[in-house]
Amino acid sequence: MTDLTVGQSTDPVAQGAVVAHYEKIVDCAAVNLAAATAHELFDIPAGMLHLSTVVEPLTAEGAAATIDIGDADPDALIDGADVNQIATPHVSGDAVTAEVYSLQGASAGKLLLADTTFTLTPSILLDAAVFRVKSIWIDMRSALNDPAA
């Protein structure tokens, strides 16, 4: 497993932002990703509600290749995004990648009840693709009337 969470960027959730934006550019030419292996992508804290995740291919893999992004459900956020086609970004819940956990999908997002690591699982060995992954979350943790505050 490759840990891609190092250097992940996010808006400062801890500083009171209501919407958190996680982003990572994955460069498979620099770090090859083994096929059918879950690679750690984002660490998301408990109390966050998923809105949408987008995979934007920047450099094609050069062969048919897809990725899934999820947690215990390996394709909860992205199911089969094509990283060999750079023309179109893949949005969670769209007609191409019909995931359950998005506001466009079958449910109204995914509320995390525990800190969760989301993983990226490629269909083949990725050694050339470069793609950006963006994930938008709402912070549902209460900052008002919190007896711990």
Side-chain angles (χ1 to χ4, degrees), residues 40-66:
E40 295 176 353
L41 182 65
F42 293 130
D43 293 322
I44 311 288
M48 302 296 281
L49 176 68
H50 180 252
L51 288 178
S52 186
T53 297
V54 176
V55 175
E56 178 186 0
L58 303 171
T59 302
E61 175 60 30
T66 61

mmCIF file of all heavy atoms in Angstrom, residues 40-66:
data_model
loop_
_atom_site.group_PDB
_atom_site.id
_atom_site.type_symbol
_atom_site.label_atom_id
_atom_site.label_comp_id
_atom_site.label_asym_id
_atom_site.label_seq_id
_atom_site.Cartn_x
_atom_site.Cartn_y
_atom_site.Cartn_z
ATOM 1 N N GLU A 40 -3.660 4.607 0.434
ATOM 2 C CA GLU A 40 -4.262 5.652 1.263
ATOM 3 C C GLU A 40 -4.230 6.991 0.539
ATOM 4 O O GLU A 40 -3.192 7.404 0.035
ATOM 5 C CB GLU A 40 -3.529 5.754 2.590
ATOM 6 C CG GLU A 40 -3.673 4.507 3.431
ATOM 7 C CD GLU A 40 -2.875 4.553 4.721
ATOM 8 O OE1 GLU A 40 -2.096 5.514 4.916
ATOM 9 O OE2 GLU A 40 -3.015 3.629 5.521
ATOM 10 N N LEU A 41 -5.388 7.675 0.500
ATOM 11 C CA LEU A 41 -5.502 8.932 -0.238
ATOM 12 C C LEU A 41 -5.794 10.124 0.667
ATOM 13 O O LEU A 41 -5.061 11.100 0.664
ATOM 14 C CB LEU A 41 -6.592 8.799 -1.311
ATOM 15 C CG LEU A 41 -6.806 9.997 -2.211
ATOM 16 C CD1 LEU A 41 -5.565 10.264 -3.074
ATOM 17 C CD2 LEU A 41 -8.028 9.784 -3.096
ATOM 18 N N PHE A 42 -6.889 10.067 1.431
ATOM 19 C CA PHE A 42 -7.288 11.174 2.304
ATOM 20 C C PHE A 42 -7.642 10.649 3.685
ATOM 21 O O PHE A 42 -8.290 9.618 3.806
ATOM 22 C CB PHE A 42 -8.535 11.898 1.768
ATOM 23 C CG PHE A 42 -8.355 12.649 0.489
ATOM 24 C CD1 PHE A 42 -9.236 12.459 -0.559
ATOM 25 C CD2 PHE A 42 -7.332 13.562 0.325
ATOM 26 C CE1 PHE A 42 -9.102 13.154 -1.747
ATOM 27 C CE2 PHE A 42 -7.186 14.263 -0.856
ATOM 28 C CZ PHE A 42 -8.071 14.064 -1.896
ATOM 29 N N ASP A 43 -7.259 11.395 4.716
ATOM 30 C CA ASP A 43 -7.706 11.144 6.083
ATOM 31 C C ASP A 43 -8.761 12.197 6.404
ATOM 32 O O ASP A 43 -8.454 13.395 6.438
ATOM 33 C CB ASP A 43 -6.542 11.260 7.072
ATOM 34 C CG ASP A 43 -5.505 10.162 6.873
ATOM 35 O OD1 ASP A 43 -5.907 9.020 6.582
ATOM 36 O OD2 ASP A 43 -4.306 10.452 7.001
ATOM 37 N N ILE A 44 -10.006 11.757 6.629
ATOM 38 C CA ILE A 44 -11.120 12.672 6.859
ATOM 39 C C ILE A 44 -11.615 12.447 8.293
ATOM 40 O O ILE A 44 -11.860 11.309 8.694
ATOM 41 C CB ILE A 44 -12.280 12.422 5.868
ATOM 42 C CG1 ILE A 44 -11.773 12.343 4.424
ATOM 43 C CG2 ILE A 44 -13.365 13.486 6.033
ATOM 44 C CD1 ILE A 44 -11.333 13.628 3.801
ATOM 45 N N PRO A 45 -11.788 13.534 9.075
ATOM 46 C CA PRO A 45 -12.228 13.363 10.463
ATOM 47 C C PRO A 45 -13.714 13.016 10.581
ATOM 48 O O PRO A 45 -14.507 13.302 9.682
ATOM 49 C CB PRO A 45 -11.933 14.732 11.093
ATOM 50 C CG PRO A 45 -11.957 15.696 9.961
ATOM 51 C CD PRO A 45 -11.477 14.928 8.754
ATOM 52 N N ALA A 46 -14.067 12.423 11.711
ATOM 53 C CA ALA A 46 -15.464 12.117 12.008
ATOM 54 C C ALA A 46 -16.285 13.405 12.004
ATOM 55 O O ALA A 46 -15.761 14.481 12.299
ATOM 56 C CB ALA A 46 -15.564 11.440 13.371
ATOM 57 N N GLY A 47 -17.557 13.266 11.656
ATOM 58 C CA GLY A 47 -18.452 14.418 11.662
ATOM 59 C C GLY A 47 -18.502 15.167 10.346
ATOM 60 O O GLY A 47 -19.153 16.202 10.248
ATOM 61 N N MET A 48 -17.847 14.651 9.326
ATOM 62 C CA MET A 48 -17.863 15.295 8.014
ATOM 63 C C MET A 48 -18.898 14.607 7.124
ATOM 64 O O MET A 48 -19.051 13.394 7.165
ATOM 65 C CB MET A 48 -16.474 15.217 7.371
ATOM 66 C CG MET A 48 -15.377 15.858 8.199
ATOM 67 S SD MET A 48 -15.584 17.635 8.421
ATOM 68 C CE MET A 48 -14.990 18.211 6.857
ATOM 69 N N LEU A 49 -19.611 15.395 6.296
ATOM 70 C CA LEU A 49 -20.627 14.893 5.370
ATOM 71 C C LEU A 49 -20.130 15.092 3.944
ATOM 72 O O LEU A 49 -19.822 16.217 3.541
ATOM 73 C CB LEU A 49 -21.948 15.628 5.570
ATOM 74 C CG LEU A 49 -23.083 15.287 4.606
ATOM 75 C CD1 LEU A 49 -23.571 13.862 4.852
ATOM 76 C CD2 LEU A 49 -24.225 16.276 4.743
ATOM 77 N N HIS A 50 -20.051 14.006 3.181
ATOM 78 C CA HIS A 50 -19.541 14.058 1.813
ATOM 79 C C HIS A 50 -20.527 14.741 0.873
ATOM 80 O O HIS A 50 -21.711 14.440 0.871
ATOM 81 C CB HIS A 50 -19.266 12.639 1.295
ATOM 82 C CG HIS A 50 -18.738 12.597 -0.096
ATOM 83 N ND1 HIS A 50 -19.483 12.162 -1.167
ATOM 84 C CD2 HIS A 50 -17.538 12.972 -0.611
ATOM 85 C CE1 HIS A 50 -18.761 12.245 -2.266
ATOM 86 N NE2 HIS A 50 -17.576 12.731 -1.946
ATOM 87 N N LEU A 51 -20.014 15.677 0.076
ATOM 88 C CA LEU A 51 -20.811 16.318 -0.960
ATOM 89 C C LEU A 51 -20.476 15.751 -2.327
ATOM 90 O O LEU A 51 -21.354 15.315 -3.062
ATOM 91 C CB LEU A 51 -20.563 17.831 -0.975
ATOM 92 C CG LEU A 51 -21.136 18.625 0.169
ATOM 93 C CD1 LEU A 51 -20.769 20.093 0.027
ATOM 94 C CD2 LEU A 51 -22.638 18.461 0.234
ATOM 95 N N SER A 52 -19.186 15.790 -2.686
ATOM 96 C CA SER A 52 -18.799 15.340 -4.019
ATOM 97 C C SER A 52 -17.295 15.093 -4.073
ATOM 98 O O SER A 52 -16.527 15.728 -3.356
ATOM 99 C CB SER A 52 -19.166 16.403 -5.056
ATOM 100 O OG SER A 52 -18.923 15.936 -6.357
ATOM 101 N N THR A 53 -16.912 14.170 -4.942
ATOM 102 C CA THR A 53 -15.502 13.924 -5.234
ATOM 103 C C THR A 53 -15.343 13.945 -6.743
ATOM 104 O O THR A 53 -16.206 13.449 -7.471
ATOM 105 C CB THR A 53 -15.043 12.571 -4.654
ATOM 106 O OG1 THR A 53 -15.167 12.626 -3.225
ATOM 107 C CG2 THR A 53 -13.604 12.263 -5.007
ATOM 108 N N VAL A 54 -14.245 14.547 -7.200
ATOM 109 C CA VAL A 54 -13.970 14.685 -8.627
ATOM 110 C C VAL A 54 -12.581 14.121 -8.917
ATOM 111 O O VAL A 54 -11.635 14.393 -8.180
ATOM 112 C CB VAL A 54 -14.026 16.163 -9.069
ATOM 113 C CG1 VAL A 54 -13.650 16.313 -10.530
ATOM 114 C CG2 VAL A 54 -15.389 16.766 -8.788
ATOM 115 N N VAL A 55 -12.477 13.335 -9.985
ATOM 116 C CA VAL A 55 -11.180 12.881 -10.490
ATOM 117 C C VAL A 55 -10.974 13.573 -11.825
ATOM 118 O O VAL A 55 -11.784 13.423 -12.746
ATOM 119 C CB VAL A 55 -11.138 11.346 -10.664
ATOM 120 C CG1 VAL A 55 -9.819 10.926 -11.315
ATOM 121 C CG2 VAL A 55 -11.324 10.648 -9.336
ATOM 122 N N GLU A 56 -9.887 14.338 -11.920
ATOM 123 C CA GLU A 56 -9.564 15.084 -13.136
ATOM 124 C C GLU A 56 -8.253 14.544 -13.714
ATOM 125 O O GLU A 56 -7.170 14.884 -13.242
ATOM 126 C CB GLU A 56 -9.418 16.565 -12.803
ATOM 127 C CG GLU A 56 -9.038 17.423 -13.967
ATOM 128 C CD GLU A 56 -8.750 18.863 -13.562
ATOM 129 O OE1 GLU A 56 -8.834 19.208 -12.376
ATOM 130 O OE2 GLU A 56 -8.407 19.641 -14.467
ATOM 131 N N PRO A 57 -8.336 13.692 -14.745
ATOM 132 C CA PRO A 57 -7.107 13.183 -15.366
ATOM 133 C C PRO A 57 -6.326 14.322 -16.046
ATOM 134 O O PRO A 57 -6.895 15.128 -16.774
ATOM 135 C CB PRO A 57 -7.618 12.179 -16.394
ATOM 136 C CG PRO A 57 -8.993 11.817 -15.920
ATOM 137 C CD PRO A 57 -9.530 13.074 -15.299
ATOM 138 N N LEU A 58 -5.019 14.386 -15.784
ATOM 139 C CA LEU A 58 -4.162 15.416 -16.371
ATOM 140 C C LEU A 58 -3.219 14.836 -17.417
ATOM 141 O O LEU A 58 -2.890 15.500 -18.395
ATOM 142 C CB LEU A 58 -3.363 16.110 -15.263
ATOM 143 C CG LEU A 58 -4.196 16.739 -14.142
ATOM 144 C CD1 LEU A 58 -3.304 17.209 -13.003
ATOM 145 C CD2 LEU A 58 -5.053 17.865 -14.685
ATOM 146 N N THR A 59 -2.752 13.606 -17.196
ATOM 147 C CA THR A 59 -1.912 12.869 -18.147
ATOM 148 C C THR A 59 -2.467 11.458 -18.229
ATOM 149 O O THR A 59 -2.664 10.811 -17.198
ATOM 150 C CB THR A 59 -0.443 12.817 -17.674
ATOM 151 O OG1 THR A 59 0.049 14.141 -17.512
ATOM 152 C CG2 THR A 59 0.431 12.065 -18.663
ATOM 153 N N ALA A 60 -2.709 10.989 -19.435
ATOM 154 C CA ALA A 60 -3.280 9.652 -19.622
ATOM 155 C C ALA A 60 -2.291 8.563 -19.227
ATOM 156 O O ALA A 60 -1.069 8.735 -19.345
ATOM 157 C CB ALA A 60 -3.708 9.467 -21.070
ATOM 158 N N GLU A 61 -2.821 7.432 -18.773
ATOM 159 C CA GLU A 61 -2.000 6.288 -18.392
ATOM 160 C C GLU A 61 -1.342 5.647 -19.600
ATOM 161 O O GLU A 61 -0.235 5.143 -19.529
ATOM 162 C CB GLU A 61 -2.843 5.251 -17.630
ATOM 163 C CG GLU A 61 -2.117 3.968 -17.284
ATOM 164 C CD GLU A 61 -0.889 4.159 -16.411
ATOM 165 O OE1 GLU A 61 -0.828 5.104 -15.600
ATOM 166 O OE2 GLU A 61 0.052 3.350 -16.539
ATOM 167 N N GLY A 62 -2.013 5.626 -20.745
ATOM 168 C CA GLY A 62 -1.460 4.996 -21.940
ATOM 169 C C GLY A 62 -2.049 3.624 -22.212
ATOM 170 O O GLY A 62 -1.731 2.978 -23.199
ATOM 171 N N ALA A 63 -2.908 3.163 -21.322
ATOM 172 C CA ALA A 63 -3.624 1.887 -21.473
ATOM 173 C C ALA A 63 -4.931 2.027 -20.701
ATOM 174 O O ALA A 63 -5.055 2.893 -19.827
ATOM 175 C CB ALA A 63 -2.804 0.725 -20.904
ATOM 176 N N ALA A 64 -5.894 1.191 -21.013
ATOM 177 C CA ALA A 64 -7.176 1.244 -20.308
ATOM 178 C C ALA A 64 -6.946 1.102 -18.813
ATOM 179 O O ALA A 64 -6.326 0.142 -18.363
ATOM 180 C CB ALA A 64 -8.102 0.150 -20.823
ATOM 181 N N ALA A 65 -7.403 2.089 -18.042
ATOM 182 C CA ALA A 65 -7.179 2.087 -16.600
ATOM 183 C C ALA A 65 -8.277 2.871 -15.900
ATOM 184 O O ALA A 65 -8.648 3.954 -16.350
ATOM 185 C CB ALA A 65 -5.823 2.698 -16.271
ATOM 186 N N THR A 66 -8.769 2.316 -14.806
ATOM 187 C CA THR A 66 -9.765 3.004 -13.988
ATOM 188 C C THR A 66 -9.318 2.977 -12.536
ATOM 189 O O THR A 66 -8.457 2.184 -12.148
ATOM 190 C CB THR A 66 -11.154 2.348 -14.099
ATOM 191 O OG1 THR A 66 -11.069 1.003 -13.634
ATOM 192 C CG2 THR A 66 -11.669 2.384 -15.528
#
